[in-house]
Amino acid sequence: NYNKMKKLVFFFAMVFAVSMVMAQNVSVKVQSGQNQTADVEQLGDLNTSYVTQENKDNVAYVNQINENNWPENTTLSTIVQTGKSNMADVDQEHNGDLENRAGVLEAEVYQSGDNNEAIQRQGPHGQMGTSFALIDQSGNNNDASQHQLKYGNTAYIYQSGSGNVAMQGQDAPLIDDEFASMNYGLIVQSGNNNLATQSQYGWSNDAEAHQSGNGNTSIQDQKNASWVSEAFVYQSGNNNYALQEQLGSLNSALISQASNGNWAEQNQSSDLRRTSGYDPLNRAEIYQMGGSGNEAFQAQTTPGGDIVENFAWASQDGANNWVSQTQNGGNNYSTATQTGSGHSATLVQNQVYP
């Protein structure tokens, strides 16, 4: 009857109104102090932005696009700046659909020092799985950038010194528009004038760089098609250089530099994955713990599969030492220990597999 029909129409109208409310965007700005600037632009639905700025002369830009009205496609951004003259720029985009219900994108920036710059780029994101990025800078004159394209990536940058630069790209270039999935990146810099870059293309790779000295450089590059590989750099001395480049499956690399003016490079590549398990196919470790002016180079290649791993280990505790280890095939093992000064060592090993 007429009354029932009127109630039904009213019911559907209420459902539509509730759904419209639930699909809204949220933007909250809280600013105190002097000369703060915050520009927020959100397109689509289910975007949430929080901007809090204190002190003076801080600038925040947020641009978020969510192309589909599914709760799984939520984009979130949080910016908190309590120092002076900081800039934070966040750009996130979802393009998931009903079949590929993309997970949440999250980006957070906290800056309590002065004259810092933070840039975050995530997406376009069209697959299931949450991505998360965090930049926390409490020193002065630091630059940090993060660029993540695919799903399930996690990136952290912490900088408490001054004049540091940190860049992360996962399945994406290093920022000025440089794209991986299920990768993890961490950069921690507490010294001054350090540089750390991490680039990971592939699946389920890990990279960490820890720098507490001054003037150090760390470059970690896990190239296209890298799979379950890991790279670690620890630098507590000054003016050290560490380079790690890995391609393929199940590579593991570690560089630890605790003295000054040292140079370390690792280059590893593998082909087939193991049929079971995640043990490394190539494993390389360099320790430069004392003295200065030491140089160490490690290069390993393997066809992969179930071949026994290559392992290279080098330790230098002195000054002006030089070591090079090259191993091809599989089932190669080498160690080099140098104490004192002025030593030189070269090792080459090859195993041929049909």
Side-chain angles (χ1 to χ4, degrees):
N1 59 30
Y2 173 79
N3 289 330
K4 288 185 177 180
M5 180 61 69
K6 186 167 67 172
K7 290 180 180 179
L8 186 61
V9 170
F10 177 77
F11 172 77
F12 280 114
M14 288 296 296
V15 169
F16 178 76
V18 170
S19 66
M20 290 294 289
V21 171
M22 291 177 63
Q24 68 185 347
N25 295 312
V26 175
S27 177
V28 178
K29 298 178 186 178
V30 179
Q31 298 184 122
S32 61
Q34 304 172 22
N35 301 319
Q36 315 285 9
T37 300
D39 293 332
V40 177
E41 182 176 2
Q42 300 187 126
L43 302 177
D45 299 310
L46 296 169
N47 297 300
T48 303
S49 171
Y50 298 97
V51 175
T52 302
Q53 298 187 125
E54 302 176 5
N55 215 311
K56 66 177 183 178
D57 298 325
N58 294 299
V59 177
Y61 303 102
V62 179
N63 180 51
Q64 299 190 129
I65 301 173
N66 191 343
E67 296 185 359
N68 292 285
N69 299 334
W70 305 107
E72 295 84 353
N73 289 11
T74 304
T75 57
L76 301 171
S77 174
T78 301
I79 295 175
V80 178
Q81 299 186 138
T82 58
K84 296 181 295 184
S85 301
N86 296 298
M87 191 280 285
D89 186 354
V90 178
D91 195 335
Q92 300 192 101
E93 181 176 354
H94 253 315
N95 62 354
D97 54 30
L98 182 59
E99 288 73 27
N100 297 302
R101 293 184 178 179
V104 174
L105 291 176
E106 296 188 26
E108 303 188 16
V109 175
Y110 317 107
Q111 294 181 321
S112 57
D114 301 334
N115 301 303
N116 296 301
E117 180 174 302
I119 300 175
Q120 296 176 315
R121 300 284 184 268
Q122 297 202 104
H125 188 308
Q127 294 175 282
M128 187 178 294
T130 298
S131 291
F132 181 84
L134 170 64
I135 295 173
D136 188 359
Q137 301 186 126
S138 58
N140 303 318
N141 303 302
N142 296 301
D143 290 334
S145 64
Q146 297 169 318
H147 193 178
Q148 302 189 115
L149 175 65
K150 294 184 180 178
Y151 65 96
N153 290 306
T154 304
Y156 299 91
I157 294 175
Y158 299 94
Q159 299 191 129
S160 58
S162 298
N164 296 302
V165 176
M167 296 188 291
Q168 296 172 316
Q170 307 212 95
D171 278 335
L174 281 177
I175 201 72
D176 294 322
D177 296 298
E178 282 188 35
F179 300 112
S181 52
M182 304 303 294
N183 295 302
Y184 167 82
L186 169 67
I187 295 174
V188 180
Q189 299 187 131
S190 57
N192 303 318
N193 302 311
N194 296 299
L195 168 66
T197 70
Q198 295 174 331
S199 180
Q200 301 192 105
Y201 288 73
W203 185 81
S204 196
N205 299 296
D206 293 345
E208 292 189 13
H210 302 260
Q211 296 173 316
S212 57
N214 303 316
N216 295 300
T217 297
S218 170
I219 300 173
Q220 298 168 301
D221 188 3
Q222 310 221 67
K223 298 178 182 293
N224 191 34
S226 290
W227 187 83
V228 192
S229 293
E230 58 184 17
F232 300 94
V233 170
Y234 301 92
Q235 294 173 320
S236 57
N238 303 317
N239 302 311
N240 294 299
Y241 178 87
L243 170 64
Q244 296 172 318
E245 294 184 330
Q246 301 192 121
L247 172 66
S249 305
L250 300 171
N251 294 299
S252 175
L254 183 149
I255 293 174
S256 179
Q257 297 171 312
S259 55
N260 304 319
N262 298 299
W263 189 290
E265 291 188 17
Q266 295 169 319
N267 190 304
Q268 300 192 114
S269 65
S270 62
D271 194 354
L272 299 174
R273 307 170 187 170
R274 294 190 184 280
T275 56
S276 62
Y278 296 95
D279 293 334
L281 291 165
N282 291 310
R283 185 155 56 101
E285 300 179 10
I286 294 174
Y287 300 89
Q288 295 171 322
M289 309 310 293
S292 61
N294 297 298
E295 298 183 36
F297 304 88
Q298 296 174 326
Q300 299 191 118
T301 64
T302 179
D306 292 319
I307 294 173
V308 177
E309 74 171 9
N310 292 313
F311 176 71
W313 184 91
S315 175
Q316 295 173 313
D317 188 359
N320 302 312
N321 295 299
W322 187 88
V323 62
S324 174
Q325 297 164 294
T326 302
Q327 301 188 135
N328 300 308
N331 198 24
N332 295 300
Y333 180 94
S334 67
T335 65
T337 302
Q338 295 175 320
T339 57
S341 302
H343 301 298
S344 177
T346 301
L347 182 141
V348 178
Q349 296 191 128
N350 296 293
Q351 289 273 15
V352 178
Y353 289 88

